[in-house]
Amino acid sequence: MQQDLDFDVVVVGAGLPGLALCAALRRTQLSIALVEGRMPEWPVGGWDARVYAVSPSSARFLEGIGGWAHLDHSRMQPLARIEVFGDRGARLDFSAFDVGVGELAWIAESGLIARELWEGVKRQANVALFCPARPVALGRVDERSTLELEDGRRLGAALVVGADGVNSWVRGQAGLDARFTDYGELGVVANFRCEKPHLGCAWQWFRPDGVLAFLPLPDQHMSMVWSAPEATARDLLQHDATTLAQHVAAAGDHVLGALEVVTPAAGFPLRLMEVPKVIAPGIVLVGDAAHAIHPLSGHGVNLGFADVRVLADVLATQDRGVLGDVRVLRRYERRRAEEVRAMQLTTHALHELFRPQWPALSWLRNSGLNLTQRMPVVRNALVRYALG
Ligand SMILES: Cc1cc2nc3c(=O)[nH]c(=O)nc-3n(C[C@H](O)[C@H](O)[C@H](O)COP(=O)(O)OP(=O)(O)OC[C@H]3O[C@@H](n4cnc5c(N)ncnc54)[C@H](O)[C@@H]3O)c2cc1C
């Protein structure tokens, strides 16, 4: 018979938001259990296939929780400028200089940030790590949530946080609905060495065969995200390295000259996921468990960091006995609902507007880009909004 282990908070999932939540609660009196199903693996040498545009507000948040200052900045690229192209010659650009900031974002590998957070959380006095470990049952008795692990251990807590990604087990167990809209696309990612310097510029093309983005990485490298219809994406994934490099260089108008693959292509299905309620008694969802958006805005992980910042803020000011009370959790839900909804609506609307199947909208979308380009006030307001 296994004994129950008691905590204030159990976090399921050690992706970036789950780790960041533990780190954000490091100066509180709360005892935390972090349950992760897989032993973490960091790419050795080479470049991580998953690369993020970390917004300045996420960078400030990470700095405040000790997950930024010691990152290897030689592997991170400040983003100075973004150029966006429509499908009929329209063009829009944004620059850090125009809005008076040092950078629009930092382009950084997922593994780089995850490793820094993981190493910090591992040493954190108020966190107990359960890894690898998977939960098999979730219950609620006398205002306490209980989580039973595969190996029979039982964890009790006032609050269970579902930070377990888009197919969240916690969300399913708590009976919280998720509405999926399948884009019928895969996000194909790969990293390349480039012939020409990128000068800190990112490019995005709304093409008939999807949305192609080049994100700059240090040492004349770049990370590609091509959100492409499934058939096109499958073709891209089947190309050998030379053909892929030539195909991507041509699709990007050779802005970076010849390309050489340094991280092979990988594909991820793209879906919009809306979760009308992200809380239940003793349960709260953060990160991709609470929302998923199309990667064209490059904002997924930034939404997750913002969730965690708000949740940590709410939890840090409460008595430990009431952490799972829906009246407390509603403060988190209310504070996050507007931004999440706005980001989902905007990325979904942009995606629909640029669907090649709707050529009648071609004039509208290209005129929209050109018009915004000619209105610096609107353009800079958009950038300031994106900078948070
Ligand atoms: C192609 C693509 C490109 C993207 N590009 C960007 C970008 O440029 N910028 C950006 O901000 N975002 C981007 N995103 C989104 C970003 O990847 C996600 O928002 C982010 O990874 C979400 O983190 P998460 O921890 O919520 O989920 P995940 O990263 O999925 O992590 C969930 C964690 O929970 C663990 N877990 C799952 N189930 C269980 C269980 N039952 N028990 C225990 N542990 C469990 C998993 O092992 C994992 O460690 C992109 C996404 C895609 C698909």
Side-chain angles (χ1 to χ4, degrees):
M1 176 77 180
Q2 297 273 358
Q3 79 183 96
D4 284 7
L5 300 162
D6 272 326
F7 298 91
D8 295 310
V9 180
V10 173
V11 179
V12 181
L16 294 183
L19 287 167
L21 179 63
C22 295
L25 294 173
R26 73 196 188 291
R27 297 221 172 93
T28 66
Q29 301 294 316
L30 302 176
S31 60
I32 303 162
L34 175 60
V35 179
E36 166 57 48
R38 286 182 308 208
M39 283 306 285
E41 280 176 19
W42 326 115
V44 183
W47 291 89
D48 193 340
R50 188 63 71 89
V51 166
Y52 296 131
V54 179
S55 71
S57 60
S58 294
R60 276 194 299 278
F61 167 63
L62 286 171
E63 179 138 42
I65 63 170
W68 188 257
H70 299 294
L71 288 178
D72 180 354
H73 277 59
S74 70
R75 290 191 73 96
M76 295 160 63
Q77 174 67 47
L79 179 62
R81 183 179 167 80
I82 304 176
E83 295 190 12
V84 183
F85 296 90
D87 53 351
R88 287 210 188 162
R91 184 176 166 280
L92 177 60
D93 65 67
F94 305 100
S95 87
F97 180 78
D98 287 349
V99 284
V101 295
E103 60 280 317
L104 295 170
W106 286 88
I107 310 299
E109 298 157 279
S110 179
L112 186 76
I113 306 171
R115 179 164 36 189
E116 182 69 12
L117 289 172
W118 175 264
E119 292 301 330
V121 165
K122 239 174 36 181
R123 291 192 298 268
Q124 203 171 307
N126 64 340
V127 174
L129 265 180
F130 294 82
C131 175
R134 285 199 169 264
V136 289
L138 177 64
R140 183 126 177 113
V141 184
D142 296 338
E143 310 286 295
R144 303 268 304 160
S145 296
T146 54
L147 197 74
E148 194 177 320
L149 303 184
E150 241 170 8
D151 62 9
R153 284 180 292 182
R154 281 162 48 103
L155 314 182
L159 179 65
V160 171
V161 181
D164 49 348
V166 73
N167 298 315
S168 172
W169 176 88
V170 172
R171 189 181 65 228
Q173 292 293 304
L176 295 169
D177 275 346
R179 296 196 292 249
F180 288 92
T181 306
D182 196 337
Y183 286 116
E185 293 175 0
L186 299 184
V188 178
V189 292
N191 298 329
F192 299 85
R193 186 172 302 128
C194 323
E195 183 191 11
K196 295 186 190 165
H198 48 59
L199 305 175
C201 183
W203 287 266
Q204 188 169 41
W205 293 268
F206 287 89
R207 296 167 47 88
D209 55 0
V211 186
L212 171 65
F214 289 178
L215 301 176
L217 285 172
D219 296 335
Q220 223 155 299
H221 287 78
M222 79 77 179
S223 165
M224 172 200 80
V225 185
W226 193 332
S227 310
E230 266 177 46
T232 311
R234 302 257 172 243
D235 282 349
L236 289 171
L237 291 168
Q238 274 164 15
H239 285 331
D240 60 58
T242 311
T243 314
L244 179 70
Q246 287 168 350
H247 193 79
V248 170
D253 289 336
H254 300 282
V255 288
L256 291 171
L259 301 177
E260 182 194 338
V261 175
V262 292
T263 314
F268 306 86
L270 300 181
R271 293 177 289 177
L272 167 71
M273 185 189 70
E274 296 159 289
V275 180
K277 282 195 67 56
V278 298
I279 60 166
I283 305 287
V284 63
L285 305 177
V286 296
D288 280 15
H291 39 69
I293 59 174
H294 194 281
L296 70 84
S297 71
H299 247 72
V301 84
N302 294 307
L303 281 183
F305 285 138
D307 291 349
V308 164
R309 190 179 55 211
V310 171
L311 182 61
D313 201 28
V314 168
L315 298 183
T317 54
Q318 299 300 317
D319 289 336
R320 43 170 46 125
V322 298
L323 296 180
D325 190 318
V326 282
R327 284 167 298 188
V328 170
L329 298 177
R330 217 168 269 140
R331 286 182 211 162
Y332 159 76
E333 189 175 51
R334 277 200 217 107
R335 280 174 62 184
R336 291 301 297 137
E338 194 184 329
E339 191 201 355
V340 169
R341 190 79 198 115
M343 194 52 79
Q344 287 183 321
L345 283 174
T346 312
T347 47
H348 189 66
L350 267 177
H351 179 267
E352 295 300 296
L353 184 62
F354 279 91
R355 271 171 105 96
Q357 294 91 322
W358 292 359
L361 288 178
S362 174
W363 176 84
L364 181 64
R365 61 200 180 211
N366 285 280
S367 305
L369 281 183
N370 281 332
L371 190 63
T372 312
Q373 174 71 10
R374 276 189 239 117
M375 298 165 72
V377 177
V378 175
R379 203 157 32 116
N380 293 344
L382 280 173
V383 179
R384 285 201 194 88
Y385 177 74
L387 293 174

